[in-house]
Amino acid sequence: QNFEDQIAFSREHIRTLEQKLRAAIEKIEKLEAGDVALARQLAGQQDRVRKVEQSTRSRMSQMSSNLAQQGELADTLQHDLTEKSQEVSAALTELSQKRVSAERLPPGFGL
């Protein structure tokens, strides 16, 4: 009888261990599934970060290009402005000389 009790106890102990083992396996499977989901989520986030980095690099490059073009345009405008200023100055000098010449004419000349 004692031997049979030990066998029954051992079988019950084995069933308990099997249940604990199944529960542990389920927990591991759930953790693994969670790890896979986290890995996918992380991959998605990394992809979004890469896209934002590429977009930012592209925008910075475009802004740099725009600034270079604006600098070239500013240089051209400055050159044109200097040129026009010299033309206006020359025209004013010529006009002033003509006025001085006209003042030297005798009264009533050219009327």
Side-chain angles (χ1 to χ4, degrees), residues 34-47:
D35 287 349
V36 168
L38 284 174
R40 285 183 184 146
Q41 185 179 6
L42 180 59
Q45 289 173 348
Q46 288 173 333
D47 188 48

Side-chain angles (χ1 to χ4, degrees), residues 41-57:
Q41 185 179 6
L42 180 59
Q45 289 173 348
Q46 288 173 333
D47 188 48
R48 284 191 291 276
V49 167
R50 273 193 295 278
K51 287 178 182 175
V52 167
E53 286 174 341
Q54 287 174 335
S55 174
T56 301
R57 272 194 229 94

Side-chain angles (χ1 to χ4, degrees), residues 87-105:
E87 289 176 15
V88 167
S89 180
L92 286 174
T93 300
E94 184 182 337
L95 189 61
S96 177
Q97 288 172 350
K98 287 182 179 179
R99 185 182 54 86
V100 168
S101 295
E103 288 174 353
R104 290 186 184 148
L105 291 175

Side-chain angles (χ1 to χ4, degrees), residues 7-22:
I7 290 175
F9 175 78
S10 293
R11 284 184 179 154
E12 190 60 37
H13 186 65
I14 289 171
R15 279 190 212 104
T16 302
L17 291 175
E18 285 175 341
Q19 288 173 348
K20 287 182 180 181
L21 183 58
R22 279 191 207 103

Side-chain angles (χ1 to χ4, degrees), residues 28-79:
I28 289 170
E29 287 172 347
K30 286 180 184 178
L31 288 173
E32 287 174 343
D35 287 349
V36 168
L38 284 174
R40 285 183 184 146
Q41 185 179 6
L42 180 59
Q45 289 173 348
Q46 288 173 333
D47 188 48
R48 284 191 291 276
V49 167
R50 273 193 295 278
K51 287 178 182 175
V52 167
E53 286 174 341
Q54 287 174 335
S55 174
T56 301
R57 272 194 229 94
S58 174
R59 283 191 214 131
M60 287 175 65
S61 175
Q62 185 63 44
M63 287 171 62
S64 177
S65 176
N66 288 348
L67 285 173
Q69 289 175 352
Q70 289 174 357
E72 291 171 8
L73 180 61
D75 290 346
T76 301
L77 290 174
Q78 181 64 41
H79 175 75

